[in-house]
Amino acid sequence: MRTLRTVSHALGGLGTTLSTIAAIHTAYVAVLGIAGTRRVPRAPTRCGAPSTTFTVLMPAHDEAGGIDRALRSWESIDYPRTMFDVHVVADNCSDHTAEIVRRHGFEAHERVVPDAPGKGPALNWLFDRLDRTGRIADVVVVVDADTDVDPEFLAALDGAFRTEATQVAQGFYTVRDPAVSPAVSFRYAALACRHHVRSLGRRRLGGSCGLYGNGMAFRSELLRGRRWSNHLVEDAEFQLELLLDGVIVEYVSAAVVSAEMPEDLDRAETQQQRWERGRLEVARRSLPRLAAAWRSPPAPRVTLVDAAFDLVLPPLSVLVAAHGIAAALSLPDAAIGRTAGRRTVLVSTACIAAVIAHAVGGLVAVGAPGSHYRSLLTAPRTVFWKTALWARSALPGGATEWVRTRRTGETT
């Protein structure tokens, strides 16, 4: 009997430790959720005639199968055509991407550098090419080739950049065709939390919104002298470099971009694993730099604290799994009447409920149709899948260079 009590006490101690760590992360998510739960405006508030000119950079690698739809969305944009240009870099393409771009009346730039592929190098090459010939406008926008832009996208950014203090902005990056499958619908809910609620919450609390690789906008002078890496999460790296230079990323919820997402978990696995591993690497490299900046911060210290929390925050699925494991470990201790075990079970259960509420709040905040709430019913399977993937990503080794995600309808 004494042995059973000793074992249950040891397991309860592990559960309490795990629950405490996960609860700290959950509290951060909950605070951002409270601060950021606000509906996305249907359209930006326009203040007079447009005043900002835009250069749109679109990296593309073998996108002939889907870029037509993305370009049609640019043709439908509600902004003076003389005030923006769309430039597509057809990066090491083996298909007809460039031909399709020209057919739509936009400019295609063909880059053939097999030894240096990837989104970051392609963006660097295209920016330099345009800058040398004086073809960079007031603001540079980066949008992916599998992405639809809302008709009000540039108008919303124009409103943000009318304020001179705005140097960088991130639009609301969401999911295209979210009802196509349960996996895509669940991803829609996840991005509602990650890209809208948390971005809005971070800015309201004084942090920097963050960059998500799609729907980003920069004052042109800011990009001169800065380079994108070929890291899989080059956007996160770039945002941290900006933060350490004192540049805050604004969030523009009305600037909406909608990207294609894999229709099933198997199709998403390789890229998700690389992305998670990339984030962990960025965290390992960047946390010491954020700590070193504390004494003489380039921006308010709250931005450094927020950036550090964001770097170490695991996916919500992992938080749910951690609390579930903590509660299970503490159940024997709770069953024999120990207060610590009961407290751990209670805290972990409450934290799981808080994460669920955060997900529901994200859907409410973006005005999601009722059908998408049903995607949360697939959460148990997704939690298991995502937690296993995240654990594998934490193991040493593995590549973190950019790899193009296989599109819907592609078999190889």
Side-chain angles (χ1 to χ4, degrees):
M1 190 67 171
R2 182 178 297 177
T3 301
L4 289 176
R5 285 181 174 272
T6 300
V7 171
S8 68
H9 181 57
L11 291 176
L14 289 174
T16 298
T17 301
L18 180 59
S19 178
T20 301
I21 295 171
I24 293 171
H25 293 292
T26 307
Y28 172 69
V29 169
V31 169
L32 294 184
I34 293 169
T37 302
R38 186 180 74 183
R39 291 287 295 270
V40 176
R42 291 188 177 182
T45 302
R46 300 204 182 201
C47 302
S51 62
T52 310
T53 59
F54 295 94
T55 298
V56 179
L57 309 184
M58 184 184 295
H61 173 67
D62 288 344
E63 296 288 355
I67 197 172
D68 180 78
R69 175 172 171 173
L71 296 174
R72 279 189 277 114
S73 74
W74 281 102
E75 291 172 341
S76 301
I77 204 141
D78 188 8
Y79 204 75
R81 186 63 186 84
T82 56
M83 297 185 70
F84 74 96
D85 290 308
V86 177
H87 296 270
V88 179
V89 51
D91 186 45
N92 294 297
C93 288
S94 59
D95 62 4
H96 303 295
T97 296
E99 180 183 329
I100 294 170
V101 173
R102 296 184 182 112
R103 192 185 307 151
H104 280 270
F106 299 121
E107 190 159 354
H109 306 259
E110 297 184 69
R111 176 179 181 265
V112 183
V113 188
D115 294 336
K119 182 176 179 178
L123 287 173
N124 292 333
W125 180 87
L126 181 56
F127 180 85
D128 291 345
R129 179 184 176 95
L130 296 174
D131 199 31
R132 281 195 300 267
T133 54
R135 302 173 68 190
I136 294 293
D138 300 332
V139 172
V140 175
V141 176
V142 178
V143 175
D144 288 344
D146 62 348
T147 298
D148 296 348
V149 291
D150 184 84
E152 299 287 342
F153 176 69
L154 290 182
L157 290 178
D158 172 61
F161 281 97
R162 285 172 182 261
T163 303
E164 289 188 9
T166 301
Q167 297 293 305
V168 185
Q170 171 66 56
F172 174 35
Y173 171 15
T174 185
V175 173
R176 187 169 78 184
D177 301 329
V180 72
S181 74
V184 176
S185 186
F186 192 88
R187 186 67 173 159
Y188 174 77
L191 294 194
C193 296
R194 170 66 172 161
H195 290 172
H196 174 64
V197 171
R198 281 157 61 182
S199 293
L200 189 57
R202 293 175 75 184
R203 285 302 297 128
R204 283 183 166 179
L205 295 176
S208 181
C209 158
L211 292 173
Y212 303 124
N214 198 4
M216 308 177 292
F218 310 83
R219 289 200 186 272
S220 55
E221 58 268 22
L222 188 79
L223 290 181
R224 294 186 176 97
R226 289 184 168 89
R227 313 298 289 173
W228 298 95
S229 74
N230 194 31
H231 199 278
L232 189 62
V233 287
E234 78 287 330
D235 49 337
E237 284 190 315
F238 203 79
Q239 186 264 328
L240 286 165
E241 292 295 335
L242 292 174
L243 178 61
L244 291 170
D245 284 342
V247 179
I248 302 298
V249 180
E250 297 293 340
Y251 176 53
V252 186
S253 62
V256 182
V257 295
S258 306
E260 180 183 328
M261 295 291 163
E263 293 185 10
D264 55 67
L265 297 180
D266 291 339
R267 189 184 294 267
E269 182 164 354
T270 299
Q271 195 75 346
Q272 281 284 308
Q273 186 169 337
R274 290 175 182 271
W275 190 84
E276 293 295 347
R277 182 178 289 125
R279 278 185 57 83
L280 290 169
E281 282 197 4
V282 170
R284 282 192 286 266
R285 292 201 304 266
S286 300
L287 286 172
R289 298 180 64 192
L290 290 172
W294 184 261
R295 286 190 176 182
S296 182
R301 284 191 173 93
V302 67
T303 63
L304 302 181
V305 174
D306 168 70
F309 262 107
D310 187 67
L311 281 172
V312 300
L313 182 68
L316 296 184
S317 295
V318 175
L319 284 182
V320 170
H323 284 300
I325 293 170
L329 289 173
S330 299
L331 272 176
D333 219 21
I336 61 175
R338 292 186 62 87
T339 302
R342 290 177 176 176
R343 185 186 301 119
T344 298
V345 172
L346 180 62
V347 168
S348 289
T349 302
C351 285
I352 291 173
V355 172
I356 294 171
H358 182 72
V360 173
L363 290 172
V364 171
V366 299
S371 59
H372 294 299
Y373 291 84
R374 289 196 294 271
S375 71
L376 299 180
L377 298 176
T378 67
R381 180 189 176 211
T382 306
V383 165
F384 178 80
W385 174 82
K386 187 76 172 185
T387 302
L389 182 146
W390 187 80
R392 292 195 300 272
S393 300
L395 297 174
T400 54
E401 71 275 3
W402 178 84
V403 176
R404 178 181 176 275
T405 302
R406 188 158 48 97
R407 308 297 186 214
T408 300
E410 295 179 352
T411 57
T412 59

